Amino acid sequence: MKNKHYSRKKRQLGRLIANLKLKINTPGTSLVTIHRLKLRIKFLLSELSGYVSKHQLNRLLGGFAIVFGFATTANTQVFDTPVLNPFGLTTSPDVYLQFPEMADLDNDGDMDLLVGAYAYGFAAGFTYYENIGSPEVPSFATPVLNPFGLTGNTLINFPALVDLDNDGDLDLLSGEYYGTMSYYENTGTASEPSFEAPSSMPFGLSATYSLAIPTFADIDNDGDMDLLVAEQYANMQYFENIGTAEAPSFEAPQQNPFGLSTGYGISAPEFGDFDNDGDQDIVVGAYYGNLEYYLNTGTDSTPNFFGPATNPFGLTQTYEFAFPSSADLDGDGDLDLLVCETYGTFQYFENVDPTTSIDEIAIQGGISPNPFTDVVNFDLEVLNVEFLNLAGQVVLSVENPGVSLDVGALPQGSYIVKCRHKNQQLSSTKLQKL
């Protein structure tokens, strides 16, 4: 197929997708009309296959790739049947709800777990589960209440760990019952955290309408961490960071931006690149235990979310409520999900997608050495490279890095390194910095 022919068919596909979106949002549209549009789109996809990259097709299709089951990308995730309370995790009978946050708190290369809670009649504080296993085979130690100087003396705590001052260690922002947020600065080190007494509503933040369930990502790709906070009645409040990586400053919130929609009751958002296309998607834990997926059909700097799709990728409904945290818990280079449900039970959804095997993808776009110290080298031409921590947060993004890149400023630890190559294909590799 000549270039001008498939360019015309790409434009035709875009028009059909826009028409399909209009039809499904128009009351009274017949199922026959929708079905015929879907058939025409599938026919065009078959014609374009092999001439247009899967990344480009995924951009054109947007959320329809998930909602209507069009298998156009090799990056679709597959989650296994959930496992209850895995890896030695335990649940206290006094706890009604738990709110998990996974991160490498002791900088030993594996994912630890910090949990906020809502208990019966008392302030439950923060519970820390140290991972004493390995990056590939986690095993959590006996939980410790309020370690590292944490207090957690409010009725409810929704923790979010992030390096907000860009000093190489993880700080804590905790959402609270009345919509306020408290910031615990880590004045220790990446390996030995020590948290200062909390400061309420720093950096220009404002309270949400009861409850505040925060999650961080550099959603506009400007090098600092932005904040999305769910509130009571399931609205999302977006706080853009207009400061710097070292000195955050948050704009007044925008409600349900970028195509996000209001849920029901309580929603718990979690950022992550779940389709491995280089931008941040969102999984939202919903009031009745469903997991709702918003596909980012925009770019890594201009998000636009399509959805939600309920329980995609083999995910299943939990037993009332769903509070998710994502991280690479088994060391295979993709994001797994740990979800807490009513009565504090943990459900572990392992990402078993065979297409994201680190060993296979590393061959396609080699990065060396591994482990590395100050410099990494690229075997193929790279348009963009991102270094993500094991919680899926982008800690470094560089355009056109050349054949080698100085990364000496990165702290020691494990990283998932994602590259977009000249042919628009993605590769993903797990690297260790010494």
Side-chain angles (χ1 to χ4, degrees):
M1 190 187 300
K2 295 182 179 180
N3 286 356
K4 64 179 181 180
H5 291 157
Y6 73 70
S7 294
R8 175 173 55 80
K9 289 186 179 294
K10 278 173 60 180
R11 292 193 295 272
Q12 185 181 359
L13 178 61
R15 289 193 295 269
L16 286 173
I17 292 167
N19 192 19
L20 180 57
K21 185 175 182 179
L22 175 64
K23 295 296 184 185
I24 66 172
N25 288 312
T26 301
T29 302
S30 72
L31 293 178
V32 172
T33 299
I34 292 174
H35 179 66
R36 286 174 177 170
L37 278 171
K38 288 172 65 176
L39 288 178
R40 292 175 65 189
I41 289 171
K42 286 183 177 181
F43 179 76
L44 275 176
L45 288 173
S46 67
E47 287 196 308
L48 288 167
S49 178
Y51 296 93
V52 179
S53 73
K54 290 179 178 179
H55 173 74
Q56 289 175 305
L57 288 178
N58 192 50
R59 287 288 187 210
L60 286 168
L61 280 168
F64 291 119
I66 301 299
V67 175
F68 291 98
F70 296 146
T72 62
T73 173
N75 299 319
T76 300
Q77 311 299 291
V78 178
F79 289 94
D80 208 352
T81 303
V83 178
L84 298 182
N85 293 332
F87 315 127
L89 293 172
T90 57
T91 303
S92 168
D94 297 323
V95 170
Y96 180 59
L97 296 173
Q98 294 197 110
F99 318 112
E101 176 74 346
M102 292 189 286
D104 187 5
L105 256 176
D106 52 8
N107 198 36
D108 63 351
D110 55 38
M111 301 306 296
D112 309 297
L113 178 63
L114 188 69
V115 180
Y118 174 67
Y120 295 102
F122 64 94
F126 299 99
T127 302
Y128 172 61
Y129 295 81
E130 181 187 356
N131 189 346
I132 55 175
S134 69
E136 295 77 23
V137 184
S139 177
F140 291 101
T142 303
V144 177
L145 183 64
N146 292 331
F148 315 127
L150 293 172
T151 53
N153 55 5
T154 62
L155 181 64
I156 199 167
N157 295 283
F158 299 101
L161 289 164
V162 63
D163 185 4
L164 260 184
D165 50 10
N166 201 33
D167 63 351
D169 55 38
L170 290 172
D171 309 297
L172 172 65
L173 186 76
S174 182
E176 296 162 350
Y177 185 82
Y178 292 107
T180 53
M181 289 169 271
S182 290
Y183 171 63
Y184 299 77
E185 182 184 356
N186 187 350
T187 55
T189 66
S191 302
E192 297 182 0
S194 177
F195 292 98
E196 289 283 282
S199 56
S200 183
M201 307 305 297
F203 315 127
L205 292 172
S206 56
T208 62
Y209 181 72
S210 186
L211 303 181
I213 307 176
T215 185
F216 283 95
D218 183 7
I219 194 66
D220 52 8
N221 197 32
D222 64 350
D224 53 39
M225 301 304 290
D226 307 296
L227 176 63
L228 186 69
V229 184
E231 64 182 6
Q232 182 78 304
Y233 304 118
N235 283 312
M236 303 283 180
Q237 301 288 352
Y238 169 63
F239 295 83
E240 182 185 355
N241 189 346
I242 56 172
T244 66
E246 295 77 20
S249 176
F250 293 99
E251 280 265 61
Q254 305 171 47
Q255 183 167 294
N256 299 326
F258 315 129
L260 295 172
S261 59
T262 304
Y264 174 79
I266 298 175
S267 291
E270 175 75 355
F271 280 114
D273 184 5
F274 292 98
D275 58 357
N276 198 32
D277 68 346
D279 54 35
Q280 293 291 310
D281 311 300
I282 300 176
V283 166
V284 177
Y287 186 78
Y288 287 113
N290 286 318
L291 292 162
E292 298 180 337
Y293 174 66
Y294 286 88
L295 175 68
N296 189 346
T297 60
T299 68
D300 58 358
S301 58
T302 308
N304 182 61
F305 294 103
F306 188 99
T310 301
N311 298 327
F313 316 131
L315 295 170
T316 56
Q317 185 177 16
T318 63
Y319 178 68
E320 290 187 356
F321 297 109
F323 299 98
S325 180
S326 63
D328 183 11
L329 258 181
D330 53 6
D332 64 352
D334 53 36
L335 290 177
D336 310 296
L337 282 173
L338 190 68
V339 183
C340 280
E341 63 183 7
T342 300
Y343 304 119
T345 304
F346 295 94
Q347 291 217 35
Y348 170 58
F349 294 86
E350 181 187 355
N351 190 338
V352 293
D353 175 22
T355 67
T356 54
S357 164
I358 283 297
D359 293 334
E360 293 175 6
I361 297 177
I363 296 171
Q364 298 173 13
I367 305 176
S368 61
N370 188 17
F372 66 96
T373 51
D374 295 325
V375 175
V376 294
N377 305 302
F378 304 99
D379 293 346
L380 302 176
E381 185 173 352
V382 175
L383 299 180
N384 171 265
V385 60
E386 291 183 335
F387 285 72
L388 294 82
N389 61 27
L390 295 186
Q393 296 173 331
V394 177
V395 296
L396 177 66
S397 180
V398 179
E399 299 288 336
N400 300 311
V403 296
S404 64
L405 179 65
D406 186 344
V407 288
L410 288 175
Q412 294 179 352
S414 296
Y415 296 91
I416 299 170
V417 184
K418 294 186 176 183
C419 297
R420 186 179 303 284
H421 299 280
K422 189 176 181 179
N423 62 359
Q424 294 299 319
Q425 296 300 306
L426 289 167
S427 65
S428 181
T429 308
K430 187 176 180 184
L431 298 183
Q432 182 76 24
K433 187 178 190 298
L434 299 178

